[in-house]
Amino acid sequence: MNSVKRFAFSANRRRAFAHGALLLATLLALLPAAGVPQVAAAQGRSITTPGAVSADASEEIVYIDSNGVIRVLDTQFSEHEVKWFSPDGGWRDFALGDFNNDGDMEIVAVRGTDSTAIVAIFDPVVTQGEVPPGNLINGIPWKELWRFQMPQRPQTVVAGNFDPGVAGDEFAVIRDSSNAEDPEDDDPRRIVIYKQNSPSGDGTSWVEHFARNFSANWEFANMGDWNNNGSDEIILIDNESGKIEVYQPDQGFRRIAEVGGRYNKYALIANYVGGGNNELLNFRDVDPPNQSFQVCNIFVNSSIDPACMASLGSAFSSANRGPRVAAAGDVNGSGDEEAFMIFTRRTPPMLLGRGTGGDNIITEFNNGIDLNAADEFEAIAMGDIDGDGRDEVILGGKSRIMWYPEAHNSASTTSFTVATNKRSLATGDLDRNGFNAGPQFGASVSSIDTTVDFSFTKQGIFTLQNINTDAAVPFEIALEGTAYTWLSVFPSSGFAPGENSQPIEITYVINGGAMMPNQTYNSAFLISSTDPAVTSRLRIPIKVTVTTPPLRAEPAAPTAIYYPCQAPLDAKQIAVQITGIPGRRFSALVTDISAARAAGLTGSFYVGEVTDAGALRLRDAAGKQVEIDFPAARELMAADTVNWPSSVPWITAVSSVTNTVPTAMTITVDPAQRTQDFQQAVLVLLASSYADDNDLVAQPYWVTLNCASSASWLPLINRR
């Protein structure tokens, strides 16, 4: 289906925006250069726009290209052209609306199949607030406000003011229904209306407001305020039956009108006749002398004009079959809107304009303009692209967009060589309030997702910079939540260099000793400026997963006790079970603990690494370290050995069944080799870390020989 939707606000609302933007541009010109103007937005909010540029009265053209990428075409700009494009492709359709209540337009888009259906909201021109790192296109910050995976393939999306009680606009997705939503599977379409539930109204959180299954095969949708109650209605067309139905979302999705007929293909709501009421314009794919264009009134009791004001249908030439796509706008500034339509099934295709009263549509449009069939113009929109207070006509085709910039008195055109999907074309003011042309924080990372071994520390670095101007900007970094117990950052304040300077390095340290094993911790770096004139904010989310050592020994304190300590004393074998990650290779050694104790190492396990000199470097959670000779550490891990070295005389043998976890180990203790009755050594197990396979984790276990000359027996106490 070749349906397109005009810009998502009703004509009266759009006109107010255009006039307001023109006034804003005038006020900005009168303000001192150093001033920080405040402009009123919807619902009484205010928007700070320091040094705002591209705040003009013109609208932009938004379309989907042949690869499904959403793109913006900006024909009128002061300093910065809006050149935004979506970060991914495959989009099927979009609609425009003010979804974050900032006074300018954003884009809601849908795409996908039954298994990959996506709806997303993009803000191509960010006026204020946080901007993700790297989200600059032609110097203009942008961001994705929201993304959600739907259960079924979408058909189309429309946006409007469907709930006056919620700030900003809402949107409706027409998609396939699922078996879970329709167990009998006889309702092919489901309509879901979304409204935002973000406390700040910033468009970042949305919930289902209303959902309903339909037996009709809805493939077309449009919107507008038909009954003039301040909220928009939704128009639906079943292309198979030709049926049109109009619903009122803010009244429980009540149906307020139905237009029968097999040939209804396109409909929109516009102020066509003039005055305070809007009309429903119905375009029918019929042969003459049948009415191809109908204008329908709605009465006070919300019933439809049964005659659809057929006399206003304006008879078409007998050679023309009915139009398939249409749009409405005020091309001559008369206060009411004119209808423009494309006859795609005519050879060659034709563009035709119609109006009422004294609209004085020029002869070329009134008689019809032949279009080049090779252009395949199948999309049409209307909007004030040049900011002159009048709407123009825009056509979208296979390889170009064609614009009639002086449609009020000329059929001359301006063309832009772009490939469109010939379906989704709209106009809207994306930069009404301009954008924050001042400093913008940008970092080398957008998020941090890492692991740390329990009780160890881990260090990381990212860079910070002002990515939008040359000025060095003062900054401070706060931690979200209670992360200060396990997370630190340095420096936490300073100056972020300008975009042409070397960025500053920010070091963060994660303290695994202040965290619990097998747990996930979340926080964020909150970056802002100490200069109140800098409104940029940056949030870098942090996710840390705490791991346990990859292997362990049981018992944790292998001990050989001799009592009484009298000759002859035989050698003993201590059985140790090595457990942990199945299949993990390990190596082992036994060494004297005097070096570790002399260095002041604390804790029950260490991180280890092998130096180039062949030493095993052990480091505890506090950062203290000691080096132990172990030249064959990595060789042992690489070799298929089960006999491990010991530098302690009274531990004569250490062996395991295998060198992979799990396995059994045997430690042989010979008391005849002791130098004291109480002696200790350390069994060191080594394996690669969870966090980094290039690191070794060294797990020490104290092995004790105790030749006791006496024993103390504790009393046995029964507790009832």
Side-chain angles (χ1 to χ4, degrees):
M1 186 195 73
N2 298 317
S3 64
V4 297
K5 291 175 293 299
R6 62 187 296 266
F7 146 61
F9 286 159
S10 68
N12 293 335
R13 295 172 68 197
R14 180 166 53 83
R15 190 70 51 218
F17 273 122
H19 293 166
L22 183 61
L23 176 61
L24 172 64
T26 304
L27 293 173
L28 289 174
L30 297 174
L31 288 170
V36 181
Q38 301 285 325
V39 296
Q43 306 296 321
R45 291 183 61 203
S46 66
I47 300 171
T48 303
T49 57
V53 297
S54 292
D56 53 48
S58 65
E59 296 176 359
E60 287 73 49
I61 301 170
V62 187
Y63 66 98
I64 297 179
D65 70 14
S66 55
N67 294 317
V69 176
I70 308 168
R71 296 186 178 273
V72 175
L73 179 60
D74 189 1
T75 67
Q76 309 289 317
F77 52 90
S78 54
E79 296 182 30
H80 284 63
E81 180 183 356
V82 182
K83 291 185 175 181
W84 185 85
F85 55 89
S86 61
D88 43 12
W91 297 101
R92 174 177 174 83
D93 200 14
F94 72 87
L96 303 183
D98 186 6
F99 302 118
N100 60 1
N101 198 35
D102 65 351
D104 60 23
M105 309 287 289
E106 290 79 46
I107 301 170
V108 58
V110 294
R111 73 175 189 200
T113 64
D114 289 348
S115 60
T116 61
I118 298 292
V119 57
I121 300 176
F122 302 100
D123 187 358
V125 181
V126 176
T127 301
Q128 64 173 356
E130 171 187 323
V131 179
N135 280 25
L136 281 177
I137 299 179
N138 198 32
I140 299 177
W142 71 275
K143 64 182 174 182
E144 182 176 294
L145 298 178
W146 184 70
R147 182 177 290 236
F148 175 73
Q149 183 166 342
M150 299 179 293
Q152 294 292 327
R153 180 175 66 97
Q155 292 291 328
T156 188
V157 59
V158 294
N161 184 18
F162 300 139
D163 188 344
V166 177
D169 286 319
E170 293 75 48
F171 64 91
V173 176
I174 292 87
R175 62 170 174 82
D176 297 349
S177 64
S178 67
N179 291 334
E181 295 162 337
D182 182 23
E184 298 183 0
D185 198 25
D186 57 357
D187 291 337
R189 293 288 183 265
R190 183 174 179 85
I191 297 179
V192 183
I193 297 177
Y194 294 87
K195 69 175 181 180
Q196 66 169 307
N197 63 341
S198 172
S200 62
D202 61 0
T204 59
S205 180
W206 294 77
V207 295
E208 288 192 7
H209 177 50
F210 175 86
R212 176 176 169 183
N213 285 1
F214 286 86
S215 59
N217 191 28
W218 306 125
E219 293 186 6
F220 172 90
N222 215 327
M223 49 66 60
D225 187 4
W226 191 12
N227 59 8
N228 298 290
N229 69 343
S231 63
D232 291 317
E233 284 74 55
I234 293 179
I235 309 167
L236 301 171
I237 298 181
D238 184 339
N239 274 5
E240 294 180 359
S241 67
K243 177 174 61 176
I244 297 178
E245 293 184 359
V246 183
Y247 290 85
Q248 195 171 356
D250 65 336
Q251 297 296 321
F253 215 72
R254 179 174 66 97
R255 187 177 67 184
I256 62 174
E258 180 177 353
V259 182
R262 293 171 48 198
Y263 304 104
N264 299 315
K265 296 298 181 183
Y266 201 94
L268 55 88
I269 294 171
N271 190 218
Y272 182 77
V273 178
N277 296 322
N278 294 327
E279 292 80 35
L280 179 112
L281 308 187
N282 179 27
F283 303 87
R284 308 170 66 224
D285 189 16
V286 295
D287 291 317
N290 296 304
Q291 289 288 336
S292 298
F293 177 36
Q294 296 180 325
V295 182
C296 304
N297 275 331
I298 190 167
F299 297 132
V300 176
N301 62 356
S302 297
S303 63
I304 196 171
D305 176 5
C308 269
M309 297 176 63
S311 61
L312 293 176
S314 302
F316 299 121
S317 167
S318 61
N320 302 324
R321 191 171 174 89
R324 297 298 294 267
V325 293
D330 189 0
V331 297
N332 49 30
S334 63
D336 58 22
E337 294 184 284
E338 293 74 56
F340 285 77
M341 60 211 80
I342 303 177
F343 292 78
T344 59
R345 300 182 64 182
R346 179 183 184 272
T347 304
M350 181 179 69
L351 173 66
L352 185 78
R354 283 289 184 268
T356 61
D359 279 341
N360 297 321
I361 291 183
I362 62 174
T363 302
E364 291 90 335
F365 290 135
N366 197 61
N367 293 337
I369 297 175
D370 288 342
L371 303 173
N372 186 356
D375 288 324
E376 298 182 21
F377 288 123
E378 298 178 11
I380 183 170
M382 297 187 67
D384 188 7
I385 304 305
D386 56 10
D388 65 353
R390 295 184 292 263
D391 288 327
E392 298 90 45
V393 183
I394 303 97
L395 307 182
K398 178 181 179 181
S399 58
R400 66 174 174 145
I401 288 176
M402 191 162 68
W403 173 35
Y404 293 84
E406 304 293 333
H408 63 290
N409 61 15
S410 172
S412 62
T413 63
T414 298
S415 292
F416 307 93
T417 304
V418 297
T420 81
N421 70 348
K422 302 184 298 179
R423 180 179 189 268
S424 302
L425 180 72
T427 65
D429 198 347
L430 306 177
D431 59 351
R432 174 179 180 259
N433 296 312
F435 61 91
N436 187 354
Q440 294 285 337
F441 290 122
S444 58
V445 296
S446 58
S447 63
I448 297 171
D449 189 345
T450 187
T451 59
V452 62
D453 289 311
F454 174 60
S455 88
F456 295 106
T457 59
K458 188 170 188 177
Q459 179 177 298
I461 295 175
F462 66 89
T463 62
L464 182 67
Q465 190 172 19
N466 168 19
I467 59 176
N468 204 39
T469 70
D470 284 329
V473 180
F475 73 88
E476 59 183 7
I477 305 176
L479 303 180
E480 188 174 81
T482 59
Y484 58 85
T485 61
W486 52 268
L487 182 65
S488 58
V489 60
F490 178 83
S492 60
S493 62
F495 285 85
E499 60 179 337
N500 294 316
S501 301
Q502 191 73 18
I504 186 174
E505 286 191 348
I506 306 297
T507 300
Y508 61 90
V509 178
I510 302 169
N511 179 14
M515 312 164 85
M516 297 298 294
N518 301 317
Q519 299 293 319
T520 298
Y521 291 74
N522 293 278
S523 183
F525 294 124
L526 305 177
I527 304 173
S528 60
S529 181
T530 55
D531 183 351
V534 178
T535 61
S536 177
R537 302 289 187 273
L538 187 61
R539 180 179 183 272
I540 303 176
I542 303 169
K543 178 182 177 182
V544 179
T545 302
V546 185
T547 64
T548 56
L551 75 170
R552 58 186 177 273
E554 298 175 357
T559 303
I561 299 177
Y562 290 87
Y563 175 78
C565 188
Q566 297 174 357
L569 299 174
D570 299 326
K572 287 186 178 183
Q573 291 184 330
I574 304 174
V576 178
Q577 297 298 316
I578 309 299
T579 60
I581 303 174
R584 180 67 59 103
R585 293 177 66 95
F586 72 95
S587 62
L589 80 156
V590 174
T591 184
D592 193 298
I593 63 171
S594 58
R597 284 179 169 172
L601 268 62
T602 59
S604 60
F605 56 92
Y606 310 139
V607 67
E609 59 186 359
V610 177
T611 69
D612 294 337
L616 175 63
R617 181 180 293 132
L618 299 178
R619 184 172 64 253
D620 66 9
K624 296 180 180 180
Q625 64 183 35
V626 64
E627 291 186 2
I628 301 173
D629 288 336
F630 190 27
R634 293 196 184 274
E635 289 79 1
L636 282 171
M637 293 191 70
D640 193 18
T641 185
V642 295
N643 296 303
W644 310 108
S646 171
S647 62
V648 178
W650 53 272
I651 297 181
T652 57
V654 182
S655 64
S656 56
V657 178
T658 68
N659 64 348
T660 58
V661 176
T663 191
M665 177 178 285
T666 301
I667 301 174
T668 302
V669 176
D670 185 358
Q673 305 298 321
R674 75 186 191 281
T675 58
Q676 300 178 32
D677 288 343
F678 182 85
Q679 290 191 276
Q680 284 187 304
V682 63
L683 167 68
V684 182
L685 302 180
L686 297 108
S688 55
S689 161
Y690 272 113
D692 190 343
D693 284 340
N694 293 319
D695 289 337
L696 292 176
V697 169
Q699 177 82 47
Y701 295 90
W702 269 252
V703 182
T704 303
L705 186 157
N706 189 358
C707 195
S709 58
S710 62
S712 298
W713 301 95
L714 297 176
L716 181 64
I717 300 175
N718 292 324
R719 183 174 181 178
R720 297 180 180 271

